[in-house]
Structure formats: C-alpha cells, structure tokens
Amino acid sequence: VRLPADQGAARPSASAPIGVFDSGVGGLTVARELMRQLPRESVLYVGDTARVPYGPKSPDTVRRYSREIAAYLLGEGVKAVVVACNTATAHALDVLRSELPVPVVGVVEPGARAAVGSQDPRLSSARRVGVIGTVGTIRSGAYDRAIRALDPTAVIVAQPCPLFVPLVEEGWLDHEATELVAREYLAPLREQRVDTIVLGCTHYPLLRPLIARVVGQDVRLIDSAHETAAATGRALAEAGLTASGERLAQRRYVVTDAAEQFARVAAHFLGAPLEHVETLALAG
Ligand code: DGL
C-alpha cells in the first residue's frame, strides 16, 4: 500500500465513489445513512476486520491503520473519505485531513453538533452532555473538545464502555447481561443528570432501545450517523463533487479478513443482506 503522499494529484470525478471506512462492521450504520440521504452516490466501504477492535489500541497504531486504508481508498479513486469509526476519527482525522487531496469527514464533530446544536426547548441553557465511546475515543478527549468549541458552558460527563462492542457483535442487543453492564456504565451519567448522551461509537446505536430504558426516555440519545451523512453531502457540494445521478450508484464492500462473518453481522447493521464482500490484504 502506497502512502497518501505518493498518490497522484489527479482530481477525482463527481461519479467516483465515496470511501467509507471503519475498524469493522459497525461503520455500516454510517454507510447506511449515507446511502439513504445520498442515494445517487456510490460507496466503497472498507471494514478492517483483521485488526478490529481499534478501541483499546494506541493512537499511533490507529493512525497507521487509518493511513493505510486511506491510501487504499485513494488508489481506488474515491472522491472523499468518510471516517465512520469514532476511534479512528478521534486519533487520525487531523492527519488524514492534512495528507489527503480529497475532502475528509469524521463522525465526532457532526455528533457534537447534533448534541449541542439543537433548539430543543426542554433543555436548559447549561447543557449536561454524557459522552460514551471506546477507551481510545474517551481518552483522546476529542468529543470534549468538539462539544466545548460549540458550547463552552456545557457540562460533559465522559464514560468509556468497552464491553458494549463485543456484546453488540454477539448480537446481545436486548440481553439481560447487556442491561446489567449498561446500568453499571451509565450510573455516573444518571447521577450527573445528563440531558443528552452522545452514542460515540459505531456500535452503540444498536443498543439505543436498551440505553433509553436504562437512562429514561427524557434523555436525548445522539447518533452521529445522520449528521455525518449530512456533513458529507455538504462537503461534496462545496467541492463541486456531487454525483449527477446519470450512472447507477455502486456499492462495494471490502474487508481485511473473515468476509463471510462480516456479511452475516452486516445484515444487522444494514437491515438487508450483502450480496458480495471482497477481501483485501493490508500490511499488518
Ligand atoms: N468502530 C469503533 C468506534 O466507533 C468501535 C469498534 C472498535 O473498537 O474498533 O469507536
């Protein structure tokens, strides 16, 4: 895999696909929303299933993985890169933005905007925002910075929830073990009476009903997929790269390992079976 800096500077065409990547299957929640909001756009999705999870890994390692995948996507001619993984966004968005010759959209800023940008009249002026994510995402402080940049008065309660990812991958979306774990993790957010919780990890939107039950229906649960897809549409429009719709949108799914397992779990995330999954070998 060549590094992004080695890529030629040829301008991508508007009919080129949007490259979307995640550490695995979870980023399909973002891909699904992209396909819903921007149905004319082709999407090339990469899930780094050989190296998942990114959550507990060091920032340097996650940056290295992210740069490798971005280089592959550019080699495939994508016109924009969407970093659907919260952990990769937290650690690698800045470096990808500085290196890649195409627009790069992450999930953290759109999620923060959705959390504090709403005019919901039930909310007091001093927002009390809970942020949940992987250890890497929470430790990076990326959400704290993004929320504070939008609302310096916000009270932020950040909580890593590392067991949620394996529970979701196991399909235990409404299991009593998951509920027990959620009660433990979310207790500090309840004690601090947060009015909003950012679901700062690709997998957590699948736990939305369970989390709502644990924290109460009055707490707003923010899923960044919707905002990220909207931000991608804006970035393409600004760059003059919106697909015209003359060609049929293509969808490609590429993983770095275990394509069959990916296809199975992906059905949960996409709400529809996948026809074909390609396999790609990365450096390791
Ligand atoms: N995709 C990751 C995220 O959104 C969760 C899974 C992982 O740890 O790799 O942070």
Side-chain angles (χ1 to χ4, degrees):
V1 175
R2 288 175 297 164
L3 288 176
D6 297 338
Q7 305 287 333
R11 191 181 148 72
S13 82
S15 59
I18 302 170
V20 181
F21 80 89
D22 179 41
S23 53
V25 80
L28 288 171
T29 51
V30 175
R32 179 174 64 181
E33 192 56 29
L34 270 174
M35 297 188 269
R36 204 184 63 79
Q37 288 186 31
L38 309 172
R40 293 172 168 178
E41 300 292 346
S42 293
V43 170
L44 168 53
Y45 182 90
V46 175
D48 194 3
T49 45
R51 305 187 291 197
V52 71
Y54 283 9
K57 296 202 168 80
S58 73
D60 278 350
T61 297
V62 174
R63 268 193 289 275
R64 177 161 59 84
Y65 293 173
S66 301
R67 292 175 78 226
E68 280 174 10
I69 295 169
Y72 165 76
L73 288 170
L74 281 188
E76 295 297 300
V78 301
K79 63 178 176 181
V81 171
V82 176
V83 187
C85 176
N86 290 258
T87 310
T89 301
H91 296 320
L93 187 71
D94 289 350
V95 70
L96 296 180
R97 281 209 167 130
S98 70
E99 290 180 351
L100 302 189
V102 296
V104 182
V105 180
V107 284
V108 169
E109 209 272 340
R113 194 166 288 284
V116 296
S118 134
Q119 300 302 316
D120 191 328
R122 287 175 303 172
L123 302 174
S124 59
S125 51
R127 296 287 167 79
R128 305 182 70 81
V129 183
V131 178
I132 56 177
T134 65
V135 169
T137 297
I138 297 303
R139 212 174 261 165
S140 76
Y143 271 105
D144 302 50
R145 285 192 296 281
I147 291 169
R148 262 187 232 296
L150 295 164
D151 180 357
T153 66
V155 175
I156 302 169
V157 185
Q159 172 71 40
C161 303
L163 293 174
F164 278 174
V165 167
L167 287 165
V168 169
E169 300 241 337
E170 193 64 24
W172 288 12
L173 307 183
D174 194 28
H175 192 286
E176 57 186 318
T178 311
E179 180 150 348
L180 211 62
V181 169
R183 288 198 182 284
E184 188 78 25
Y185 281 151
L186 301 174
L189 281 71
R190 294 171 73 193
E191 277 159 25
Q192 293 293 320
R193 300 185 324 281
V194 299
D195 51 47
T196 302
I197 296 178
V198 180
L199 306 175
C201 174
T202 46
H203 290 54
Y204 300 177
L206 280 92
L207 295 176
R208 179 185 270 269
L210 185 140
I211 292 172
R213 204 159 63 230
V214 169
V215 296
Q217 302 294 335
D218 286 349
V219 177
R220 294 160 67 231
L221 300 181
I222 305 292
D223 159 1
S224 54
H226 183 271
E227 281 291 317
T228 301
T232 305
R234 286 194 298 273
L236 292 177
E238 274 165 27
L241 288 171
T242 306
S244 66
E246 279 160 16
R247 292 197 208 169
L248 207 61
Q250 313 270 325
R251 273 91 214 241
R252 276 179 67 199
Y253 301 92
V254 176
V255 295
T256 51
D257 194 18
E260 272 172 37
Q261 155 85 355
F262 174 89
R264 234 185 348 264
V265 184
H268 262 311
F269 285 83
L270 281 179
L274 292 192
E275 278 151 34
H276 179 61
V277 180
E278 300 164 48
T279 305
L280 158 79
L282 284 176

